[in-house]
Amino acid sequence: MAVKTLRLVLGDQLNQKHSWYNGDQDHIIYHMAEMRQETDYVKHHIQKVVAFFTAMRNFKDWMDDRGFKNVYYTLDHDDNQQDLVKNLTALIKEHDIEKFEYLAPDEWRLDQQLKDFCADLDIEWEGYDTEHFLTKRKDVKKFFEGKKRLTMEYFYRDMRKKYDIMIQGNKEPEGGKWNFDQSNRKKWDEETPIPHEKGFRKDVATIVKLLKDQGVNIFGNIDETDFNWPTSRQDALDVLNYFCDNLLIHFGDFQDAMHTDQDYLFHSRISFAMNSKMLSPQEVIEKAVSSFRESEKTDKPIDISQIEGFVRQILGWREFMRGIYWMKMPDYQTKNVLENKNELPEFYWTGDTKMNCLKHSINNSLDNAYAHHIQRLMVTGNYALLTMTDPSYVDEWYLGVYIDAIEWVEITNTRGMSQWADGGVVATKPYVSSGSYINKMSNYCKDCSYKVNKKNAEEDACPFNSLYWNFLDEKKEHFENNQRMNMMMSMLKKMDSEKLEKHKKRAQDVINHPEKY
């Protein structure tokens, strides 16, 4: 006789292709819940919460259509105790459950919560793989055993070989190079037309009202009758197909570009669909590579630099960052090697600043729950690091503001790549720059209140310029033996002392009075 089983499905485990959904289902009850535990552990963008709740409800409908038993708790359900353990405990008792099953969470806090819960159970229990990622939790750790540095590039090459992605002959890369990153750094020329993003025009007013009625502490903007993110597997496939058909051809060229008139440029907008597991990385890569192959038969072939840059983001960076997360947690979440202590300025929550790059990047985040990787790394992240902000505040903002932010991918990118709080685990050097890089990759500096070309701490000079030199001077002991910082540290040493002092004085004013800027 089949054992009566309760299966838990979390909001980022919406994988219709999972083997759980095959075979006899008569003895199985599934459980999903919208919980204050999840809405409240950090302050979230309203679009992020709406996207997850809508996607969860669509997944429930998919299960209902197939006759699966599913106990679904909306946020205002009478039986919802707003806590994962309390809800599971009550359901096990109510339904006389004999076995509990769950899919391994991707966040350490939930993984620990479920392990602790299962340790106290007096019934059988079992955890399963989510069948989503191309690596297991410990694969990255195993790959780098005995190696001095965790260099993503070598991991990425190994993954290309392992999955036979754009590989020719004797395990050699198609196109003669593993990495076309040097070709992926162009400023958008405004003459290359950008097709409008794939839209959906969803009405989400019911969920918005629910969140407000329940007093959920949220921020950001939303058009409740024109919600524009994929929240079902079919939506996600539509966005993927649209990207491959219309945007992939220029993705690599302009993936680092930024522009005041463009929210998304040639980016795919599938990260939420992937991180909620509506799409798998393997099918995304296969579809993109297939489109690349098909284009070779047309008069508009996609260059290999476009597809390689896209594949690297998923097959390389995404899997690598997840591996770092499971290798380094839970200690990783408290890393603060540079001992930064400042608070995040209020304008991160309002977009109210005269610095044009920050104003556009932050308002894009507030309006769309979105910013691409360079806006995150070299604008908002760069400013936070140069102003020596406590990485805990940076973590909270990034985890809350972006629709695709789940801790396994957020914290490794912010505390590691962006804030260098891990001391070089992820990045060999801190990703900091003066205003010159932002000017190189965008039109943000064109109409800014500040002049990016003024380098001597003048009142109307770009604040990034003084912040940059002040940061290098304040943290120089951390970089004295860092070969990748040798050139900048040498320039710092050669700088006229009076000029440096002016930069430091200006930087301290920016740090202490961000509301002025």
Side-chain angles (χ1 to χ4, degrees):
M1 184 175 177
V3 175
K4 193 170 187 182
T5 302
L6 177 68
R7 285 178 172 173
L8 172 67
V9 179
L10 298 173
D12 63 343
Q13 297 177 339
L14 311 181
N15 179 8
Q16 293 181 10
K17 300 296 184 180
H18 197 278
S19 58
W20 259 11
Y21 309 114
N22 301 327
D24 178 25
Q25 302 285 321
D26 289 344
H27 63 293
I28 297 170
I29 299 174
Y30 292 91
H31 173 56
M32 302 174 70
E34 305 163 5
M35 295 180 293
R36 292 301 293 265
Q37 169 185 306
E38 296 306 296
T39 61
D40 295 3
Y41 73 93
V42 69
K43 187 177 180 180
H44 293 287
H45 196 297
I46 187 172
Q47 290 190 42
K48 181 181 180 183
V49 183
V50 166
F52 271 104
F53 282 10
T54 305
M56 289 165 67
R57 293 181 183 194
N58 286 334
F59 194 79
K60 174 195 178 294
D61 291 342
W62 174 81
M63 297 178 87
D64 288 345
D65 289 344
R66 282 148 186 80
F68 297 165
K69 301 183 188 73
N70 187 359
V71 178
Y72 188 98
Y73 288 167
T74 56
L75 196 66
D76 58 352
H77 194 287
D78 289 342
D79 295 331
N80 190 349
Q81 300 184 58
Q82 309 300 336
D83 178 88
L84 182 62
V85 169
K86 291 179 180 178
N87 284 342
L88 291 173
T89 301
L91 286 169
I92 288 172
K93 182 178 180 180
E94 178 185 350
H95 294 277
D96 297 320
I97 296 299
E98 299 169 289
K99 184 181 181 184
F100 171 65
E101 297 180 345
Y102 69 93
L103 300 175
D106 287 318
E107 291 195 326
W108 189 86
R109 64 182 179 88
L110 286 170
D111 195 59
Q112 288 301 120
Q113 188 180 25
L114 281 170
K115 284 179 178 177
D116 292 343
F117 170 69
C118 290
D120 292 334
L121 281 178
D122 56 6
I123 62 172
E124 186 182 355
W125 63 270
E126 190 171 359
Y128 291 83
D129 189 88
T130 58
E131 300 175 8
H132 171 81
F133 293 96
L134 295 165
T135 52
K136 303 299 182 184
R137 280 184 181 179
K138 296 182 179 180
D139 283 357
V140 169
K141 181 179 180 180
K142 291 177 181 176
F143 178 80
F144 286 106
E145 281 179 358
K147 298 180 175 67
K148 291 183 179 180
R149 287 213 50 83
L150 306 176
T151 306
M152 192 280 287
E153 178 67 21
Y154 301 133
F155 167 76
Y156 166 57
R157 294 179 186 183
D158 186 71
M159 291 289 283
R160 286 267 297 272
K161 295 174 186 176
K162 181 177 180 180
Y163 285 94
D164 194 24
I165 305 294
M166 296 188 298
I167 295 294
Q168 292 180 331
N170 188 27
K171 300 292 184 180
E172 294 299 317
E174 185 173 345
K177 293 198 301 183
W178 288 104
N179 188 314
F180 287 83
D181 187 50
Q182 293 295 327
S183 303
N184 300 156
R185 302 175 182 177
K186 297 177 183 176
K187 186 174 185 174
W188 182 50
D189 54 20
E190 301 184 43
E191 296 178 3
T192 305
I194 302 176
H196 194 277
E197 75 274 5
K198 174 66 177 175
F200 296 100
R201 304 190 68 84
K202 298 176 186 294
D203 189 322
V204 293
T206 300
I207 293 182
V208 172
K209 183 177 185 300
L210 171 69
L211 297 175
K212 292 179 179 178
D213 288 348
Q214 295 298 309
V216 177
N217 188 18
I218 44 184
F219 72 104
N221 307 315
I222 191 169
D223 186 337
E224 36 188 270
T225 61
D226 189 15
F227 189 65
N228 199 25
W229 287 100
T231 53
S232 68
R233 175 163 169 79
Q234 187 57 57
D235 286 351
L237 289 170
D238 288 346
V239 173
L240 174 60
N241 291 335
Y242 187 84
F243 167 72
C244 291
D245 293 344
N246 298 280
L247 302 170
L248 178 59
I249 191 168
H250 292 300
F251 168 78
D253 288 340
F254 305 114
Q255 67 171 302
D256 288 1
M258 300 173 285
H259 198 278
T260 54
D261 297 334
Q262 295 292 330
D263 293 334
Y264 308 111
L265 288 110
F266 292 93
H267 289 267
S268 65
R269 299 177 70 246
I270 62 169
S271 55
F272 170 73
M274 291 183 66
N275 292 355
S276 59
K277 300 182 181 58
M278 292 186 290
L279 291 179
S280 76
Q282 185 152 358
E283 70 181 321
V284 169
I285 291 169
E286 288 176 355
K287 171 61 182 176
V289 173
S290 174
S291 296
F292 164 65
R293 299 282 180 231
E294 289 299 314
S295 78
E296 293 178 317
K297 305 172 186 175
T298 71
D299 59 353
K300 291 185 177 181
I302 296 171
D303 190 82
I304 192 169
S305 65
Q306 320 293 341
I307 184 64
E308 188 280 321
F310 183 69
V311 168
R312 182 172 5 107
Q313 295 281 339
I314 300 170
L315 186 67
W317 195 249
R318 187 172 185 264
E319 298 284 333
F320 174 73
M321 290 306 234
R322 175 176 177 260
I324 296 295
Y325 180 79
W326 286 109
M327 184 193 308
K328 298 297 182 180
M329 284 293 282
D331 293 343
Y332 199 80
Q333 63 190 344
T334 59
K335 292 291 184 184
N336 187 4
V337 167
L338 297 177
E339 299 180 333
N340 290 333
K341 300 296 184 185
N342 293 327
E343 295 187 5
L344 203 63
E346 180 64 22
F347 62 66
Y348 273 72
W349 305 95
T350 65
D352 186 15
T353 173
K354 291 186 289 184
M355 289 175 278
N356 216 29
C357 57
L358 284 162
K359 180 176 71 175
H360 280 281
S361 296
I362 291 172
N363 277 305
N364 190 19
S365 304
L366 296 174
D367 289 342
N368 302 306
Y370 173 86
H372 73 64
H373 62 289
I374 296 300
Q375 291 169 314
R376 301 186 197 197
L377 179 65
M378 299 308 301
V379 181
T380 53
N382 186 22
Y383 182 88
L385 181 53
L386 291 178
T387 54
M388 294 173 276
T389 303
D390 189 320
S392 295
Y393 297 132
V394 183
D395 278 340
E396 289 177 4
W397 188 77
Y398 276 84
L399 187 58
V401 74
Y402 293 122
I403 197 167
D404 57 8
I406 301 172
E407 190 184 64
W408 66 266
V409 68
E410 174 276 324
I411 198 171
T412 44
N413 274 289
T414 54
R415 203 169 282 256
M417 186 73 171
S418 171
Q419 299 303 295
W420 213 74
D422 63 5
V425 171
V426 170
T428 53
K429 70 178 184 68
Y431 278 79
V432 290
S433 77
S434 63
S436 59
Y437 176 83
I438 296 169
N439 188 42
K440 177 184 177 183
M441 296 309 303
S442 75
N443 71 336
Y444 288 160
C445 301
K446 181 180 178 183
D447 297 317
C448 187
S449 300
Y450 300 102
K451 305 296 187 289
V452 69
N453 293 324
K454 291 196 173 183
K455 309 289 187 180
N456 296 309
E458 298 97 329
E459 188 174 332
D460 61 345
C462 174
F464 276 87
N465 295 341
S466 290
L467 288 170
Y468 178 71
W469 291 112
N470 177 69
F471 172 82
L472 293 182
D473 186 60
E474 289 289 317
K475 306 297 182 181
K476 56 180 177 285
E477 69 274 9
H478 293 279
F479 310 130
E480 287 175 346
N481 298 317
N482 187 320
Q483 291 185 350
R484 293 197 66 195
M485 295 292 288
N486 283 349
M487 180 185 294
M488 301 318 299
M489 299 315 294
S490 176
M491 291 177 66
L492 177 68
K493 289 177 182 178
K494 294 176 183 177
M495 183 176 287
D496 177 78
S497 60
E498 185 176 341
K499 180 177 179 180
L500 177 60
E501 190 57 37
K502 287 181 179 179
H503 277 309
K504 290 178 69 65
K505 183 178 179 181
R506 177 98 190 285
Q508 287 305 313
D509 191 57
V510 175
I511 292 169
N512 294 331
H513 303 286
E515 70 282 355
K516 289 169 48 179
Y517 294 86

